[in-house]
């Protein structure tokens, strides 16, 4: 398993390492170039100084060099070297060259006032750098009238050792390398410390999750640790997730208890009937109705199980939607006829008010039939016997789509008993029934839960509410196809 801290440490280490190495390389290159430039400047200064020692007089050209002031050119070993040529012949050599016989320094053809640097090997075998320059000796002003002829140009070569320079560069490079290593080690240590400290809020969040008491009524993460912009959204989503799961857990507990309650009654009835029939097998009054009673109780249990399965199917991906074109008015008329077959007087009680003209809808036929059947059946069952159930069909604009319409279906009925706002908010919970509704043994509190789930899957925009204190209305809508 990968570690977030290790991943961050490694990535930051590599990123900073690359930046630091690049910076050190740039600094090293700049320093090396600067030192090389300064070395060449020093070589040029010595060459220019030696040029000033050349004196021109009517007697000829002289080189007024004093070794005591520049002893580096007189050393027998590890010294510095110069050599002068005029008219192709050696004019002057440094005393340091005398110790190496007739060895000459580098000489190249250059234009007058030209100069060039070369990497050379000195007569004593050391690596060095030489500057070759060509110039004309300057005639003093006082001899300008006397000396009228041209003076032959001279070639001057000055050679210095690079060993000290190389030693300095090695020291600088070594210092930079050691500094780079120390920076990398310190940076690695600092990154590890900072990242572990920066991830501490995540550890606190994890600890807070571990310490949640699921026995509390209101579950949420504590606000004891500091809020961070990056962690606060995670914390809020976790709080939402915890609350939803806690709510689902409570609902599952309630549903389990309600299922047990709903099935307990018919099971108890079956047990009681069987015990009585076993005890009094000869009693014709019991034997005659026993089979019918067992069948009725079994059908009741089957109805409960079928509704529970339908609820489960409607709340999962198991509900297959087959979109077909459906005539809404014909569909409602068919459902009312089905209900009239099982509940006499339904046709007289249902009042359909339609403002639609040739309106069809494209939706899943099973879903629409289930929603309408349950809503109309509930409206008939939970309203007074002689009251009207009003079904309104209207055409309305889809929200956000001025050129698209939808069919709004509202089913409104009177209430046998008043309903509180708290009960109203829980009507679509599975197996929820008001205390007065529990008196009806053929009702199990699953119809509206099934309707709500199917409406969500099909995006029917289902809603309900009290029209006044004794009337309730259920509304949903679906896209319209104009015929």
């Amino acid at each position: 398993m990968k570690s977030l801290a290790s991943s961050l440490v490694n990535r930051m280490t590599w990123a900073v390492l690359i930046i630091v190495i690049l910076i050190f390389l740039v600094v090293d290159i700049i320093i090396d170039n600067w030192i090389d430039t300064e070395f060449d400047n020093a070589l040029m200064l010595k060459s220019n100084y030696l040029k000033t020692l050349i004196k021109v007089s009517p007697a000829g050209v002289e080189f007024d060099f004093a070794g005591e002031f520049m002893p580096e050119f007189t050393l027998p070993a590890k010294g510095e070297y110069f050599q002068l040529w005029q008219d192709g012949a050696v004019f002057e050599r440094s005393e340091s060259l005398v110790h190496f016989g007739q060895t000459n320094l580098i000489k190249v053809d250059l234009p007058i006032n030209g100069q060039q640097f070369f990497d050379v090997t000195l007569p004593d075998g050391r690596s060095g750098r030489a500057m070759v320059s060509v110039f004309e000796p300057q005639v003093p002003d006082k001899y300008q009238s006397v000396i009228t002829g041209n003076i032959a140009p001279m070639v001057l070569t000055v050679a210095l050792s690079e060993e000290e320079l190389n030693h300095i560069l090695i020291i600088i490079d070594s210092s930079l390398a050691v500094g780079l290593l120390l920076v990398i080690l310190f940076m690695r240590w600092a990154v590890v410390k900072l990242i572990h400290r920066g991830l501490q809020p995540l550890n606190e969040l994890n600890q807070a999750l571990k310490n949640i008491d699921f026995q509390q009524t209101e579950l949420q993460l504590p606000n004891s640790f500091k809020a961070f912009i990056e962690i606060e959204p995670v914390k809020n989503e976790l709080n939402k997730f915890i609350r939803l799961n806690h709510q689902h857990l409570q609902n599952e507990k309630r549903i389990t208890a309600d299922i047990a309650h709903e099935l307990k009654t018919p099971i108890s009835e079956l047990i009681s009937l069987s015990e009585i029939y076993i005890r009094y097998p000869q009693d014709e009054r019991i034997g005659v109705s026993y089979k019918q009673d067992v069948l009725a109780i079994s059908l009741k249990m089957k109805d409960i199980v079928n509704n529970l399965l339908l609820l489960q199917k409607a709340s999962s991906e198991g509900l297959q939607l087959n979109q077909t074109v459906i005539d809404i008015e014909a569909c409602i008329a068919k459902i009312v006829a089905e209900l009239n077959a099982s509940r006499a007087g339904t046709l007289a009680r249902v009042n359909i008010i339609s403002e639609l003209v040739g309106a069809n809808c494209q939706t899943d036929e099973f879903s629409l039939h289930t929603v309408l059947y349950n809503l109309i059946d509930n409206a008939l069952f939970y309203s007074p016997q002689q009251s009207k159930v009003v079904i309104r069909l209207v055409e309305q604009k889809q929200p956000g789509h001025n050129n698209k319409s939808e069919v709004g279906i509202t089913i409104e009925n009177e209430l046998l008993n008043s309903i509180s706002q708290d009960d109203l908010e829980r009507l679509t919970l599975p197996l929820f029934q008001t205390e007065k509704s529990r008196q009806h043994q053929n009702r199990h509190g699953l119809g509206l839960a099934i309707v709500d789930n199917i409406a969500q899957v099909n995006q029917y925009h289902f809603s309900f509410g009290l029209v006044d204190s004794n009337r309730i209305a259920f509304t949903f809508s679906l896209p319209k196809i104009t015929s």
Side-chain angles (χ1 to χ4, degrees), residues 137-365:
Q138 299 296 313
V139 180
D141 293 340
K142 61 182 179 179
Y143 298 130
Q144 290 287 339
S145 59
V146 179
I147 302 173
T148 57
N150 291 328
I151 300 174
M154 302 185 75
V155 179
L156 172 63
T157 300
V158 179
L160 306 179
S161 172
E162 286 185 327
E163 286 188 351
E164 292 185 3
L165 174 64
N166 292 333
H167 290 159
I168 293 174
L169 292 177
I170 290 173
I171 292 173
I172 293 174
D173 291 341
S174 300
S175 301
L176 288 175
V178 172
L180 175 62
L181 180 61
L182 293 176
V183 168
I184 291 173
L185 293 175
F186 174 77
M187 178 269 299
R188 175 77 178 188
W189 173 83
V191 166
V192 171
K193 290 293 183 182
L194 290 175
I195 287 181
H196 280 286
R197 182 173 296 179
L199 293 178
Q200 187 60 32
L202 289 179
N203 295 330
E204 294 178 0
L205 183 63
N206 183 47
Q207 190 61 39
L209 286 172
K210 292 180 180 179
N211 295 334
I212 289 180
D213 183 7
F214 287 92
Q215 302 302 321
Q216 297 177 0
T217 304
E218 186 70 20
L219 288 180
Q220 66 176 9
L221 293 172
N223 297 317
S224 57
F225 48 88
K226 296 180 180 178
F228 293 88
I229 295 176
E230 296 80 7
I231 295 181
E232 198 63 20
V234 177
K235 176 185 169 184
N236 293 336
E237 291 300 320
L238 282 173
N239 278 332
K240 180 180 178 181
F241 177 78
I242 291 171
R243 285 194 297 269
L244 287 176
N245 277 273
H246 184 65
Q247 181 179 352
H248 289 326
L249 180 62
Q250 297 302 318
N251 287 339
E252 290 297 328
K253 290 181 178 179
R254 183 189 61 79
I255 291 173
T256 302
D258 288 343
I259 291 174
H261 174 80
E262 292 296 330
L263 294 178
K264 179 181 178 181
T265 301
I267 291 174
S268 299
E269 291 176 353
L270 284 175
I271 293 173
S272 298
L273 281 174
S274 299
E275 288 179 345
I276 293 173
Y277 188 66
I278 291 171
R279 182 172 295 181
Y280 306 105
Q282 305 302 325
D283 193 328
E284 293 183 359
R285 292 173 301 175
I286 301 174
V288 169
S289 62
Y290 176 75
K291 294 179 181 180
Q292 288 74 16
D293 292 339
V294 169
L295 178 61
I297 296 171
S298 299
L299 290 175
K300 178 181 178 182
M301 293 177 65
K302 179 184 176 182
D303 184 53
I304 296 173
V305 172
N306 286 339
N307 283 331
L308 287 171
L309 291 175
L310 180 58
L311 176 65
Q312 174 62 27
K313 183 179 179 181
S315 60
S316 66
E317 298 180 356
L319 185 62
Q320 300 296 325
L321 302 180
N322 297 314
Q323 302 292 328
T324 57
V325 178
I326 299 174
D327 185 333
I328 298 297
E329 295 178 344
C331 180
I332 293 176
K334 178 181 177 182
I335 292 172
V336 171
E338 291 177 8
L339 290 170
N340 187 67
S342 59
R343 183 184 290 109
T346 296
L347 291 175
R349 292 186 57 193
V350 174
N351 183 17
I352 301 175
I353 304 174
S354 177
E355 300 177 6
L356 304 178
V357 178
N360 295 329
C361 294
Q362 186 170 352
T363 185
D364 179 60
E365 184 176 4

